[in-house]
Amino acid sequence: MSSINTANNGNKQTKTRMQKGIKKINLLIYYQNVGGMKTKLQELGQAINTSDYDIIMLSETWLNEDISDAELGLSGFNIYRVDRDFNISQKKRGGGILIAVNRVFQSKRLNVQLLNVEQVFVEIKVNDVFIVLACS
C-alpha cells in the first residue's frame, strides 16, 4: 500500500511517499566540483537560479575568509562551508567544500571532526524526517 503526503514549506512542496513503512523523500540536489568558485560565480549562479534546487553541494571551492557568504549569490540558502586551512594542509591553493540548504528546510551544522580532512556535516529536516548530508 502506498500513500503520498505533501507538506507545503513556504512556496515549495515536498512529497513524501510512504510504501510499506518506508518514507521516500524527493529532493533536488546539485553537486559540482567547481575547481575554483571565485572565477565561476556568475555561471554557477545562473545554473542554480534557473532551477529549483533544494540542496547544493560543492567541492574544491578554493574559497577563503576574504570571500563572504553573501558574495556567493546563494540567496535563499543557509550556507555551511569549510575553507582550506593552509596551516593544516600545507597547500597553497585548492580545497574547500560547501553545502547550501534551501531556507524552506530547517537545517543545522553537525559537529563531526575527522583529523586533517575538510568536511562539513549538515542535518536537515524534511517534513518529519531528519537527513544528514556530508561533503568532504
Side-chain angles (χ1 to χ4, degrees):
M1 185 163 130
S2 177
S3 65
I4 296 177
N5 301 323
T6 302
N8 192 345
N9 297 319
N11 62 355
K12 178 180 283 299
Q13 280 194 338
T14 302
K15 292 182 181 176
T16 304
R17 183 178 300 272
M18 287 290 294
Q19 192 169 27
K20 296 184 182 179
I22 298 174
K23 288 188 177 187
K24 294 183 181 181
I25 299 170
N26 296 321
L27 294 171
L28 189 56
I29 299 173
Y30 179 92
Y31 170 79
Q32 183 177 353
N33 178 325
V34 291
M37 195 168 170
K38 289 190 286 188
T39 61
K40 299 178 179 108
L41 286 176
Q42 186 175 4
E43 70 184 59
L44 182 64
Q46 288 174 345
I48 290 168
N49 293 325
T50 58
S51 295
D52 199 19
Y53 292 107
D54 299 306
I55 299 164
I56 299 162
M57 301 176 80
L58 305 173
S59 61
E60 293 297 329
T61 61
W62 299 7
L63 297 175
N64 59 49
E65 69 262 356
D66 296 334
I67 309 287
S68 72
D69 290 349
E71 293 176 79
L72 302 179
L74 298 173
S75 59
F77 288 84
N78 291 317
I79 298 173
Y80 305 93
R81 70 186 232 205
V82 175
D83 300 334
R84 163 97 10 118
D85 185 340
F86 297 108
N87 297 317
I88 294 173
S89 75
Q90 305 300 317
K91 295 183 180 178
K92 297 285 184 201
R93 77 172 206 187
I97 51 174
L98 178 148
I99 296 177
V101 178
N102 192 307
R103 288 191 181 138
V104 300
F105 302 108
Q106 293 178 20
S107 63
K108 68 177 181 179
R109 182 187 297 257
L110 298 177
N111 188 17
V112 178
Q113 295 296 318
L114 302 175
L115 296 176
N116 297 325
V117 177
E118 293 167 359
Q119 63 200 341
V120 64
F121 292 83
V122 175
E123 178 185 81
I124 66 169
K125 182 179 180 187
V126 180
N127 301 332
D128 61 343
V129 176
F130 290 91
I131 300 170
V132 175
L133 305 169
C135 192
S136 176

